[in-house]
Amino acid sequence: MKIKIEKKVKSKKGLLVVPISKKKLASPPAFIKKFLKTRVNNKEFKGKKGETLSTYLGNQKILIIGTGKSASIRSTKELGGKIGKHAKSTKSEEISLMLPENLHNFAQSLLEGLLMSQYEEGNLKSKKKKGYCLEKLHIITDKKSLEKDLKKAQIISEGVKYTKDLVNKPSNLIDAAYLAHEAKRIAKENKYKVAILTQKQLEKEGWGLLLAVNQGSEKEAKCLVLQYDGAINKREKPAVIIGKGIVFDTGGYNLKPTNYIETMQQDMAGGAVVLGLFEILKKLHVRKNVIGIIPVAENLIGKNAYRPSDIIQALSGLTVEITNTDAEGRLVLADAITYATKFKPASIITIATLTGAVGVALGDRYAGLISNDIPLRSALQKAGSETDELAWPLPLHHDYKKKIDSKVADIKNYDLGSGRYGGCSKAAAFLERFVEKNKWCHVDIGGTAFSEDPKAYQGKGATAHGLQLLLKFLES
Ligand code: BES
Ligand code: ZN
Ligand code: ZN
């Protein structure tokens, strides 16, 4: 799609969008003055946030949209989404968007919302139909300097699209080999260092937990490692971001029931966020050293699959009793955390569809944050509220940490006694055993990665929740 900044409306084609604040209701652009005046006098339009009027003036299709009294990142992204969805429903392949002054500071958010609303989950129908596609977008403003913000919105939206595609597509297509191939492609295009740890290497090094989870699969486990050196001081300690890469989670022998299993291709959403992030780090010139680690496995049943009651030795040396094969995310992350400690990181962030419990606690608008370092957790929470990828703290408690002590091994992966109570905190308590002295924060996207009730600028399915949050965190 082409995006152009123009001083005046040149194109008469497509949809002309006129955002208007409450303040400007009395002095709108001249060409809609008469039309608007009647509507305002009849109280049919008050300029409220997201309120719309659509009409034709001559041959020109017009959408007037209220921007309310004041703007915020969330409301402006939603506004962008509303404009985008209106364009889609009226099949307007070209948009001229008049950018009013009160939205200058939010131009990036407005465009992000508009672009993100265009996302369509692909399909593999054998008869291809040419669907609607937004082809041209003219941003009408005399502020040339907004070009940078708009370019940034475009890059971020591309990263989000990339992540959503990985999460939405099924795991017979998006498997360990595919993700490894993508990691290599991204590394090559951006000149990052990359390592793909193969099943053989993982066995040699002793990644017992990751390998145990993958035992039921015919495909090989892998761990993908990407390294971006963006800091001005080359020796600056890296932020290590670990994304869960379970390409499908059946639950293993603790098999998930109908209505819970169908969308479990989403269980690599954390890994997909890490790949999406690496797609754009270099393009956005982020000034940090960042290492991305994605442990990839498939949690299946079969004659080789791991069982409840198995005892496995982790990469760290700790022995782990498996009490529930569906609590597999914490296992693969644990080995990746041990591996991450070798980089002497400034911080370790785990991002994962780790629990359904986080969704019960926080719903689908807030990811859960659990950390051993309050400043790190606060920085991530702030980054979330600055991008409308919200996140909220959940506690770690001394007693929760004790709950995973095992009689027959050092620890167990699930406490059968307390069941799902505080499930998110307890999953994180397991991870915490592996982080040692490092600053660590876990971002649980189990409730937010895949939505049935999408935001105004999204569709159903994958959300890429966490990508913009992490980017903002790295930028600050
Ligand atoms: N991948 C799931 C968590 C999940 C559930 C993510 C729904 C997204 C949507 C995870 O591996 C899991 O199964 N967790 C269990 C843990 C339990 C068995 C201790 C859960 O949360 O129910
Ligand atoms: Zn599971
Ligand atoms: Zn899982």
Side-chain angles (χ1 to χ4, degrees), residues 140-437:
I140 317 298
T141 176
D142 46 19
K143 202 149 185 246
K144 249 310 199 187
S145 60
L146 288 179
E147 200 143 356
K148 234 175 91 196
D149 295 9
L150 299 176
K151 185 79 210 153
K152 190 165 179 187
Q154 227 179 330
I155 293 171
I156 292 174
S157 308
E158 284 296 318
V160 165
K161 177 186 183 310
Y162 172 74
T163 293
K164 285 182 184 174
D165 275 342
L166 286 179
V167 176
N168 279 330
K169 285 186 188 164
S171 45
N172 63 322
L173 305 177
I174 310 293
D175 59 7
Y178 185 91
L179 293 175
H181 180 267
E182 281 301 284
K184 281 194 266 186
R185 177 191 60 77
I186 292 170
K188 196 169 172 202
E189 282 178 16
N190 294 283
K191 301 199 174 62
Y192 301 146
K193 287 185 197 127
V194 62
I196 308 294
L197 308 185
T198 60
Q199 171 106 8
K200 251 199 187 147
Q201 282 166 295
L202 297 169
E203 280 165 7
K204 209 168 135 205
E205 288 177 18
W207 295 58
L209 298 178
L210 172 60
L211 292 167
V213 171
N214 197 59
Q215 266 170 218
S217 175
E218 301 218 320
K219 297 178 182 177
E220 296 198 344
K222 292 191 193 301
C223 184
L224 324 180
V225 187
L226 283 153
Q227 185 172 339
Y228 166 63
D229 299 320
I232 299 179
N233 173 4
K234 290 278 163 255
R235 283 201 302 242
E236 200 174 282
K237 289 179 174 175
V240 178
I241 304 180
I242 303 172
K244 173 177 172 182
I246 298 295
V247 293
F248 199 88
D249 182 12
T250 65
Y253 278 108
N254 293 100
L255 191 62
K256 287 186 184 293
T258 298
N259 290 332
Y260 289 85
I261 199 169
E262 295 79 1
T263 59
M264 275 303 134
Q265 88 281 0
Q266 67 168 287
D267 215 17
M268 37 62 83
V273 162
V274 174
L275 285 177
L277 187 66
F278 274 80
E279 271 277 43
I280 61 178
L281 278 176
K282 175 85 174 283
K283 296 187 184 86
L284 295 172
H285 312 290
V286 174
R287 293 273 174 242
K288 287 276 162 58
N289 292 336
V290 190
I291 292 173
I293 303 178
I294 309 170
V296 189
E298 191 173 28
N299 190 17
L300 302 183
I301 54 172
K303 67 181 193 299
N304 295 320
Y306 76 144
R307 297 153 285 251
S309 82
D310 283 0
I311 298 174
I312 319 276
Q313 187 165 40
L315 181 61
S316 75
L318 282 181
T319 53
V320 180
E321 179 196 0
I322 306 302
T323 45
N324 189 316
T325 57
D326 197 10
E328 85 299 335
R330 62 200 74 181
L331 300 174
V332 304
L333 292 177
D335 277 351
I337 291 170
T338 301
Y339 181 75
T341 59
K342 294 187 188 141
F343 294 101
K344 308 226 171 325
S347 57
I348 297 177
I349 296 165
T350 46
I351 177 158
T353 45
L354 194 63
T355 66
V358 73
V360 176
L362 298 174
D364 63 1
R365 292 297 189 262
Y366 284 87
L369 294 177
I370 298 176
S371 179
N372 62 0
D373 187 84
I374 305 303
L376 174 63
R377 190 185 73 185
S378 303
L380 287 161
Q381 189 178 356
K382 182 164 176 280
S385 62
E386 288 170 358
T387 51
D388 193 32
E389 286 195 332
L390 302 171
W392 202 256
L394 288 168
L396 266 180
H397 191 285
H398 173 71
D399 289 347
Y400 297 164
K401 296 185 198 176
K402 281 199 306 201
K403 285 274 186 245
I404 50 168
D405 287 337
S406 161
K407 282 203 182 112
V408 293
D410 294 322
I411 50 174
K412 55 190 174 194
N413 74 333
Y414 178 60
D415 174 38
L416 291 164
S418 61
R420 284 167 197 261
Y421 260 53
C424 182
S425 293
K426 284 180 194 156
F430 182 90
L431 299 182
E432 204 247 358
R433 295 280 186 120
F434 295 84
V435 298
E436 297 173 354
K437 292 260 176 295

